Amino acid sequence: MKDAPGRAPLDNPSAGMINNGPMKTWTFSDIERLIARFPRVELIHLPTPLRKLANVSADLGGPEIYIKRDDLTGMAFGGNKSRKLEFIVPDMLAKKADVVVTWAGLQSNWAMQTAAAAVRFGIRPILVLFKTYPLPPERDGNILLDDILGADVRIRDAAVGKLVGVEAALAAVEEVAAEERAKGHRPYIVPVGGSMPLGSMDRPLGAISYVLAYREMLEQTRALGFDPDFIVHSTGSGATQAGLVLGAKALSPRVKVVGISVSDPKDSFAKEVLTIAKATEKTLALDTGVSAAEVSVLDEYIREGYGIVTKEVADVIRMLFTREGIVLDPVYTSKAFIGLLDIIRKGVIPRSSKVVFFHTGGTPALFPNKHKLVEYLA
Ligand SMILES: Cc1ncc(COP(=O)(O)O)c(C=O)c1O
């Protein structure tokens, strides 16, 4: 490990929000070396592109916004989950699983990506999906893809606009796993989003991939001659933010990571992200001393609830598509982009700064939401 002096916190309204801890930094090769100890399968195309949103940045009069295209990871329409699965699938294989059981919301990107990765390795996917969206019953979007993959989809009722609690969900998947064990199978239970170390995944393997994604992004911005001031992205089950926060803390402590929650209140989410970040730190032996001060979650953009499409969502999808040719999804990245625009408007992100927005994928969910989108955009 290399000791190096960090930079002073930014002088702006949100300074002090995160990253004021002891300033020790690691190198790109330190991160690579620590992560290379974890088995990995190749599922996706890396690095994902990073490019400037030139029109939107000009329209706003700053800041300079760049987009990290993790929607272009390449497996099954792309997205952040496939980065995580590169580290989770080897654990399924090491534990000799022949079935993977996971849970999520009805139109889950995570569940579909897990199924797509698992079937390639001869592992049968069972997806317990909670009906958290008021959607028509037709097979469309991710559920259509689940069907094409031949995944065993089990739909359960749930409260609309809310993610199902971990305990209830774990109980549901444990029941399925017990049935599989009774039939002589070896199920691997993986928690929603591949985030919390739970079930068969006893280490935060998903978050590790986002420490590496941070390193990948920073190499790209440095090639363009800058370190970003802010990273903004959507937070759902926490590992993306945990990995990015840890990557920032290790490599560029001045950079602020802002997670936009799509489902849970900021306090409970921040706690969860910190738990995952600390577990990741321990698993990697990357002793950054990550603390609550580095975890910034905003929850006001959940609006009417998880997965509920509003006119604001439809408008921001149209805006980015027409101005930049990039399609956001209606559940995660649209709400994160709404949050980004709002914190720019409020001056939390100064116009003079540089921002990287992580596009984490999810575009298949556009199609089952077509009726609402058409209605709002008419
Ligand atoms: C498209 C998309 N973006 C962002 C997220 C949030 O990532 P995480 O679950 O790691 O917080 C998810 C999943 O929850 C997702 O499917």
Side-chain angles (χ1 to χ4, degrees):
M1 304 290 166
K2 194 176 102 185
D3 286 316
R7 282 177 287 173
L10 281 176
D11 183 22
N12 68 36
S14 56
M17 200 159 69
I18 59 172
N19 282 338
N20 280 336
M23 298 287 196
K24 172 181 174 176
T25 53
W26 279 257
T27 64
F28 286 166
S29 48
D30 290 332
I31 299 296
E32 262 164 36
R33 186 172 44 77
L34 291 174
I35 295 181
R37 296 173 302 155
F38 291 82
R40 186 173 177 186
V41 292
E42 195 181 321
L43 298 175
I44 57 179
H45 311 299
L46 296 176
T48 58
L50 177 92
R51 85 146 165 96
K52 187 172 172 185
L53 296 180
N55 288 339
V56 172
S57 302
D59 293 348
L60 294 171
E64 271 182 40
I65 306 174
Y66 291 76
I67 192 160
K68 177 70 173 154
R69 298 294 306 273
D70 272 13
D71 57 319
L72 300 181
T73 47
M75 183 183 76
F77 295 92
N80 60 342
K81 306 308 183 195
S82 47
R83 273 195 196 264
K84 301 179 183 187
L85 286 156
E86 287 204 328
F87 290 91
I88 299 171
V89 168
D91 199 43
M92 297 180 198
L93 298 172
K95 291 176 176 154
K96 308 218 176 314
D98 59 355
V99 181
V100 59
V101 190
T102 194
W103 79 86
L106 189 62
Q107 275 294 340
S108 167
N109 304 306
W110 158 251
M112 185 276 285
Q113 294 258 323
T114 301
V119 294
R120 281 178 62 183
F121 294 88
I123 299 171
R124 180 166 50 91
I126 305 181
L127 311 176
V128 178
L129 303 182
F130 293 95
K131 241 181 131 177
T132 51
Y133 311 83
L135 289 178
E138 71 239 22
R139 307 302 262 199
D140 199 347
N142 282 311
I143 295 243
L144 171 64
L145 298 170
D146 296 339
D147 285 348
I148 294 172
L149 286 163
D152 180 347
V153 174
R154 307 195 185 177
I155 296 176
R156 304 280 160 89
D157 284 330
V160 167
K162 271 196 153 73
L163 277 179
V164 172
V166 169
E167 272 168 36
L170 248 186
V173 294
E174 290 284 4
E175 200 181 306
V176 172
E179 286 164 17
E180 291 298 316
R181 276 185 215 107
K183 290 184 217 156
H185 293 295
R186 292 179 305 279
Y188 183 102
I189 295 178
V190 57
V192 64
S195 287
M196 267 288 179
L198 274 178
S200 314
M201 193 183 82
D202 45 22
R203 291 166 302 162
L205 297 170
I208 287 174
S209 72
Y210 265 87
V211 177
L212 209 53
Y214 188 89
R215 181 221 166 283
E216 179 183 303
M217 174 224 66
L218 196 62
E219 190 171 37
Q220 289 171 316
T221 64
R222 285 188 178 167
L224 295 172
F226 71 93
D227 277 17
D229 301 299
F230 292 87
I231 307 295
V232 178
H233 69 95
S234 161
T235 280
S237 62
T240 300
Q241 184 162 7
L244 293 176
V245 162
L246 201 55
K249 177 92 179 174
L251 291 169
S252 56
R254 201 197 66 160
V255 178
K256 299 179 188 308
V257 177
V258 181
I260 309 286
S261 170
V262 295
S263 55
D264 291 28
K266 60 183 174 192
D267 292 345
S268 64
F269 242 157
K271 240 164 116 183
E272 202 159 309
V273 169
L274 183 60
T275 304
I276 301 169
K278 284 189 164 163
T280 311
E281 202 179 52
K282 197 162 159 215
T283 300
L284 287 178
L286 178 65
D287 187 16
T288 67
V290 68
S291 72
E294 278 97 36
V295 180
S296 177
V297 179
L298 302 179
D299 61 6
E300 51 265 58
Y301 310 101
I302 299 170
R303 302 294 201 235
E304 289 170 32
Y306 173 66
I308 309 287
V309 174
T310 60
K311 171 141 179 45
E312 206 181 8
V313 164
D315 287 343
V316 82
I317 292 173
R318 173 174 276 172
M319 185 279 286
L320 201 70
F321 199 4
T322 53
R323 296 301 288 144
E324 303 284 354
I326 295 172
V327 184
L328 294 169
D329 85 288
V331 179
Y332 293 92
T333 53
S334 53
K335 289 192 176 171
F337 211 89
I338 288 166
L340 168 65
L341 294 174
D342 194 48
I343 58 180
I344 291 169
R345 222 172 281 128
K346 289 176 175 160
V348 174
I349 295 185
R351 304 273 170 182
S352 57
S353 47
K354 292 189 168 67
V355 182
V356 173
F357 177 83
F358 267 76
H359 188 328
T360 46
T363 43
L366 272 175
F367 304 99
N369 283 290
K370 57 185 169 273
H371 301 295
K372 277 278 161 212
L373 291 169
V374 167
E375 179 191 324
Y376 287 132
L377 293 174

